[in-house]
């Protein structure tokens, strides 16, 4: 169940990834907190909500990352393409769209390895 946030907390989360561009201090000012309010205290109080908003922001930008990767097919000579592809790959990995690898194993006349037999020692009487 989501907890109730006050008006300033809601405003802080709304502006954090939009107008404030991720800048916590600017988001604090835009949300109406005083200059003397501790940014650390605000963030500590909203930690879970900030993490959830971050996940949503990453998910919202995943299509841009996918477009950047496929755009390389149309213009493989674009400047900075390697860095752009790396950033797109990282973002897609973090939102859960990871590269899948398939492995095909074929064997003919293989050898099966067995564990060694247990040695039973007999008592000498």
């Amino acid at each position: 169940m989501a907890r109730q946030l006050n008006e300033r907390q809601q405003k802080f989360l709304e502006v954090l990834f939009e107008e404030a561009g991720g800048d916590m201090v600017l988001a604090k000012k835009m949300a109406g907190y005083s200059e003397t309010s501790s940014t650390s205290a605000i963030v500590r109080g909203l930690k879970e909500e900030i993490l959830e908003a971050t996940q949503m922001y990453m998910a919202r930008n995943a299509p841009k990352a996918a477009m950047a990767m496929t755009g390389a097919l149309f213009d493989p000579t674009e400047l900075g393409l390697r860095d752009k592809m790396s950033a797109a790959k990282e973002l897609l990995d973090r939102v859960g769209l990871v590269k899948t690898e398939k492995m095909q194993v074929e064997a003919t006349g293989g050898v099966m390895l067995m564990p060694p037999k247990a040695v039973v020692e007999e008592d000498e009487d």
Side-chain angles (χ1 to χ4, degrees), residues 11 24-26 31 48 69 71 80 97 100 111 119 124:
K11 181 70 173 174
M24 298 283 187
V25 175
L26 182 57
E48 294 300 318
M69 291 187 93
L97 292 170
T100 56
V111 175
V119 177
E124 292 181 27

Side-chain angles (χ1 to χ4, degrees), residues 35-69:
E35 292 286 330
T36 58
S37 296
S38 167
T39 305
S40 298
I42 295 167
V43 171
R44 195 175 314 113
L46 292 172
K47 180 181 175 185
E48 294 300 318
E49 290 81 4
I50 291 170
L51 290 174
E52 185 177 326
T54 302
Q55 288 176 326
M56 288 301 296
Y57 181 77
M58 297 287 277
R60 280 196 323 251
N61 285 286
K64 289 180 187 176
M67 295 298 292
M69 291 187 93

Side-chain angles (χ1 to χ4, degrees), residues 118-125:
V119 177
V120 179
E121 295 184 25
E122 295 183 24
D123 288 337
E124 292 181 27
D125 287 334

Side-chain angles (χ1 to χ4, degrees), residues 10-21:
Q10 288 175 345
K11 181 70 173 174
F12 179 87
L13 292 171
E14 287 171 13
V15 300
L16 182 59
F17 290 101
E18 297 298 328
E19 296 95 340

Side-chain angles (χ1 to χ4, degrees), residues 20-33:
D23 184 333
M24 298 283 187
V25 175
L26 182 57
K28 174 181 84 169
K29 290 176 186 174
M30 294 176 82
Y33 286 95

